């Protein structure tokens, strides 16, 4: 049986090693690795692998944006997002970006193989999303996050990471005024009055 050509993009060397070892035991060959989103994106375009396993928190371009870019460029391989971030939020984001599956790093890494095989066979592989409250109850954290636009959510992520408005503006190629507007909107939607509340919310939900 032909080996399945794969690329791993993750900023943790031990995770890359673990995934490489797992894949190589199961008829996969690793054609490239990277710890950087922009470099990884170029490697995928160069090698056109059958499978991409990618983290979200990687340098220069995050994994979600890499997935979006590759799908826009008609990359047809199986993409599995492997992340330690909260699956309630990031699994749907991964799916909407074009990934075939999402595996939490908190789970057995063997699930990566299951997710890849599901993608190869035309199926998706995503965790069940927890619904925290019933109708008429106060909004759950998940529901609050779902109210944010894509840009608002990205600003939220960067603020939780400790960046100031000017740094967020530089990273997102926006004006400081635009970032301030997004910040006000998301604070209003989440009903927070201080950045400390925003940070605590992000930490509580592994965002």
């Amino acid at each position: 049986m032909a080996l399945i050509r794969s690329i791993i993009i993750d900023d943790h060397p031990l995770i890359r090693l673990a995934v490489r070892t797992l894949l190589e035991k199961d008829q996969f060959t690793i054609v490239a690795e990277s710890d950087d989103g922009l470099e990884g994106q170029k490697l995928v375009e160069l090698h056109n692998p059958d499978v991409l396993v990618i983290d979200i928190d990687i340098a220069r371009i995050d994994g979600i944006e890499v997935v979006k870019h590759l799908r826009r460029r008609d990359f047809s391989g199986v993409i599995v997002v492997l992340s330690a971030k909260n699956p309630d939020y990031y699994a749907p984001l991964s799916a909407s970006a074009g990934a075939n599956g999402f595996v939490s790093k908190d789970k057995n890494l063997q699930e990566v193989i299951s997710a890849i095989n599901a993608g190869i066979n035309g199926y998706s592989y995503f965790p069940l999303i927890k619904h925290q409250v019933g109708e008429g109850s106060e909004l759950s954290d998940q529901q609050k996050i779902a109210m944010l636009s894509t840009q608002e959510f990205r600003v939220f992520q960067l603020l939780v990471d400790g960046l100031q408005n000017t740094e967020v503006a530089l990273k997102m190629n926006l004006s400081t005024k635009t970032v301030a507007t997004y910040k006000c909107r998301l604070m209003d939607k989440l009903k927070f009055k201080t950045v400390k509340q925003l940070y605590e919310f992000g930490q509580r939900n592994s965002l």
Side-chain angles (χ1 to χ4, degrees):
M1 184 179 293
L3 292 176
I4 299 171
R5 301 167 64 254
S6 310
I7 287 179
I8 304 166
I9 307 174
D10 195 295
D11 63 344
H12 292 91
L14 290 178
I15 293 292
R16 290 202 308 275
L17 176 61
V19 174
R20 168 187 278 273
T21 301
L22 183 70
L23 296 184
E24 288 180 337
K25 287 180 179 178
D26 203 327
Q27 77 188 43
F28 296 86
T29 182
I30 310 303
V31 296
E33 292 183 18
S34 179
D35 61 357
D36 177 283
L38 183 58
E39 180 188 56
Q41 185 174 284
K42 292 177 179 178
L43 286 171
V44 172
E45 291 171 345
L46 174 65
H47 294 285
N48 192 30
D50 304 300
V51 171
L52 169 64
V53 178
I54 185 168
D55 190 9
I56 293 175
D57 277 338
I58 46 180
R60 292 204 281 181
I61 304 177
D62 71 65
I64 298 293
E65 292 303 316
V66 172
V67 174
K68 289 180 182 177
H69 172 85
L70 293 174
R71 291 310 193 201
R72 285 196 299 265
R73 298 293 294 270
D74 295 324
F75 174 67
S76 59
V78 171
I79 300 177
V80 173
V81 174
L82 176 64
S83 176
K85 287 186 169 292
N86 190 326
D88 284 355
Y89 306 115
Y90 288 95
L93 280 177
S94 299
S96 63
N100 300 87
F102 180 100
V103 175
S104 173
K105 288 181 178 177
D106 294 334
K107 302 293 185 181
N108 189 325
L109 280 184
Q110 185 66 38
E111 285 198 25
V112 172
I113 298 294
S114 300
I116 291 172
N117 287 335
I120 289 173
N121 289 299
Y123 298 97
S124 59
Y125 191 96
F126 292 96
L128 293 174
I129 303 304
K130 299 173 184 175
H131 294 283
Q132 300 173 7
V133 296
E135 186 177 353
S137 302
E138 183 180 349
L139 289 178
S140 68
D141 287 353
Q142 180 189 344
Q143 290 169 320
K144 290 177 182 177
I145 286 292
M147 293 189 299
L148 302 181
S149 70
T150 302
Q151 288 288 73
E152 288 167 350
F153 184 71
R154 184 61 179 145
V155 170
F156 169 85
Q157 288 178 298
L158 295 173
L159 291 172
V160 169
D161 284 343
L163 275 65
Q164 301 299 313
N165 284 13
T166 51
E167 296 171 306
V168 173
L170 184 62
K171 196 169 185 69
M172 294 184 65
N173 196 27
L174 299 172
S175 70
T176 305
K177 183 178 179 181
T178 299
V179 170
T181 300
Y182 281 132
K183 180 179 177 181
C184 285
R185 286 180 188 168
L186 71 90
M187 293 283 282
D188 182 60
K189 287 182 179 180
L190 297 174
K191 302 193 181 305
F192 294 150
K193 297 188 182 300
T194 68
V195 175
K196 181 182 178 184
Q197 288 177 304
L198 197 70
Y199 178 79
E200 290 172 346
F201 179 89
Q203 293 299 302
R204 183 170 70 247
N205 291 284
S206 302
L207 297 171

